Amino acid sequence: MIRVGIVGYGTIGKRIADAIAAQDDMKIVGVLKTSPDYEAKVAVGRGFALYTLPDRVDKFKKAGIEPAGVIEDLIKASDIIIDATPEDVGRENKEKYYQRFDKPVIFQGGEDADVAEVSFNALANYEEARGRRYVRVVSCNTTGITRVLSALMLNGVGVRKARVFIARRGADPKEHKKGPINDVVPNPATVPSHHGPDVQTVLKNVDIVTMAVAVPVTIMHMHMAYLELDSTYSRDAVLEAFAKTPRIFLADVGLGFQSLAQIIEYARDLGRPRADFPEVALFRDSVTVRGNELYLMYGVHQESIVVPENVDAVRAIFGTLPKWNSIEKTDRTLKLFTEGKVYAR
Ligand code: NAD
């Protein structure tokens, strides 16, 4: 049983905590929060021991919550830490706390790649995390692109070039202070956006350029991609590669999937926790092949897509399960779509 401590219990951290708690080979030691707010009450309600930073203990006590300990206590009691704090805070925690303990740490995509020895995506480079002390699960957009490219490459479809255009959600649903409101913002205005180079931290030899704008929605990101393949392939061969690759969902316009809102509505109808959609939501109708050119559009649910990757990263670091066994176990326990998926190559 791998004992896992979660530092940062926000959008990503609380989802990772639930996903880890659902595994029979892992156990949550506790979660660390900085404020005794409603999310802290949710954590306690779910039975998670609540830890905080040394200077926040009194604040928690005043709010009627007795912390189980401070960050050092959580690290000591855990075999591994998953840091899901905001951008750059993970690096600060590494310098201040993690470096003093001989324990592996998983960081999130908001950190620069050099915070870790290896950047991680389960389909792309599971084995590279084995025995590492510091691993970074790449961000939501990078995970989406990496899964799409991996689906092709793992099934014998070579990708010579990838050009991906990203409409980024302006903010997460809970971020009431963030925009953009009624605007489209080059995000960043420079080309490439950081996503392309980030994909190259896990798929090292891909020729990729990305451009991104932020749009006033909170539900999902939308990617429009143009890929140059190494040869000509039939549309059926490309669709089969996507259909059998885990964590990719093919959405049909004919079934009513005409927008990203309907993807999330589907998650709600399925009763998925928090209406999450951790799969890449690929619009089947958009998949178009012209000679060796492939065009496609897909949605990325930013709040949940990296969650299964964090679960796999834990097993990948300790080497407790081979790649495909871990991916399958994670998908089944999180109740992702498994029908028709092939968990071996
Ligand atoms: P968030 O702001 O929702 O949650 C971060 C949590 O960490 C909050 O609860 C905050 O109180 C807490 N925190 C702040 N400082 C802390 C500290 N010093 N020690 C411990 N906890 C602290 O952020 P998030 O959206 O969950 O993002 C976390 C990481 O995941 C970032 O690296 C981000 O880039 C990455 N990520 C975010 C998304 C997304 O769309 N939200 C998607 C993929 C990856």
Side-chain angles (χ1 to χ4, degrees):
M1 192 68 87
I2 304 170
R3 296 169 301 165
V4 184
I6 310 283
V7 175
Y9 191 75
T11 302
I12 301 297
K14 61 186 168 186
R15 287 172 166 83
I16 295 174
D18 288 350
I20 296 286
Q23 309 302 314
D24 63 11
D25 54 346
M26 299 176 199
K27 181 180 179 323
I28 291 282
V29 175
V31 303
L32 185 141
K33 271 202 61 65
T34 47
S35 27
D37 56 10
Y38 71 94
E39 286 172 326
K41 292 192 190 303
V42 170
V44 172
R46 288 187 190 234
F48 298 143
L50 203 56
Y51 291 75
T52 191
L53 296 176
D55 60 348
R56 307 290 170 112
V57 172
D58 286 344
K59 208 173 158 189
F60 274 69
K61 284 186 176 168
K62 267 186 208 145
I65 300 175
E66 185 68 38
V70 292
I71 185 162
E72 286 95 339
D73 301 317
L74 179 61
I75 301 170
K76 278 184 205 153
S78 305
D79 298 317
I80 184 166
I81 290 293
I82 300 183
D83 184 296
T85 58
E87 210 174 295
D88 298 329
V89 178
R91 183 183 294 277
E92 283 167 31
N93 284 344
K94 177 181 172 186
E95 283 159 12
K96 211 164 160 189
Y97 302 108
Y98 307 145
Q99 276 175 347
R100 290 196 270 121
F101 297 86
D102 188 21
K103 305 265 169 97
V105 180
I106 296 173
F107 295 97
Q108 306 306 310
E111 302 302 322
D112 289 339
D114 66 1
V115 78
E117 301 154 86
V118 64
S119 290
F120 180 85
N121 172 270
L123 285 178
N125 68 340
Y126 184 92
E127 287 87 1
E128 280 181 43
R130 180 81 193 262
R132 302 288 190 171
R133 170 105 184 260
Y134 299 118
V135 170
R136 180 184 73 123
V137 169
V138 290
S139 74
C140 46
N141 283 302
T142 306
T143 298
I145 299 170
T146 304
R147 277 199 202 148
V148 165
L149 298 182
S150 297
L152 297 167
M153 292 166 176
L154 287 167
N155 291 291
V157 178
V159 178
R160 209 178 269 155
K161 267 187 195 173
R163 304 291 180 257
V164 184
F165 309 96
I166 303 174
R168 305 177 73 174
R169 59 89 178 94
D172 286 343
K174 73 168 185 183
E175 292 177 316
H176 63 102
K177 288 185 182 158
K178 277 198 187 170
I181 307 295
N182 192 23
D183 205 350
V184 178
V185 184
N187 186 238
T190 48
V191 178
S193 66
H194 66 273
H195 308 96
D198 205 26
V199 168
Q200 288 166 329
T201 64
V202 278
L203 292 173
K204 304 209 165 43
N205 300 319
V206 174
D207 175 348
I208 179 165
V209 177
T210 49
M211 297 171 74
V213 295
V215 293
V217 299
T218 59
I219 47 173
M220 287 177 97
H221 306 291
M222 174 76 102
H223 293 190
M224 285 149 282
Y226 155 72
L227 310 181
E228 189 180 301
L229 307 180
D230 64 348
S231 178
T232 53
Y233 296 87
S234 68
R235 179 173 185 263
D236 283 349
V238 167
L239 283 174
E240 199 198 328
F242 289 131
K244 64 190 202 190
T245 302
R247 301 179 189 172
I248 294 189
F249 172 76
L250 283 163
D252 290 285
V253 170
L255 261 183
F257 291 112
Q258 291 161 350
S259 76
L260 295 178
Q262 286 159 325
I263 300 287
I264 296 300
E265 182 69 0
Y266 186 39
R268 285 195 195 106
D269 289 346
L270 291 172
R272 285 185 163 195
R274 298 187 173 93
D276 282 346
F277 206 90
E279 293 91 349
V280 166
L282 172 57
F283 288 95
R284 189 195 301 266
D285 305 72
S286 73
V287 175
T288 301
V289 177
R290 286 168 48 132
N292 68 344
E293 297 175 351
L294 170 62
Y295 298 85
L296 62 157
M297 289 191 265
Y298 54 93
V300 169
H301 187 227
Q302 75 279 357
E303 295 174 281
S304 66
I305 190 169
V306 298
V307 172
E309 310 298 328
N310 274 273
V311 176
D312 289 332
V314 173
R315 294 195 192 99
I317 288 171
F318 290 108
T320 49
L321 276 185
K323 169 177 172 172
W324 292 107
N325 300 65
S326 176
I327 293 175
E328 181 166 12
K329 188 176 175 76
T330 304
D331 287 5
R332 291 196 186 283
T333 49
L334 301 187
K335 300 191 171 54
L336 304 192
F337 298 116
T338 52
E339 204 187 317
K341 298 301 182 191
V342 178
Y343 290 94
R345 289 294 183 284

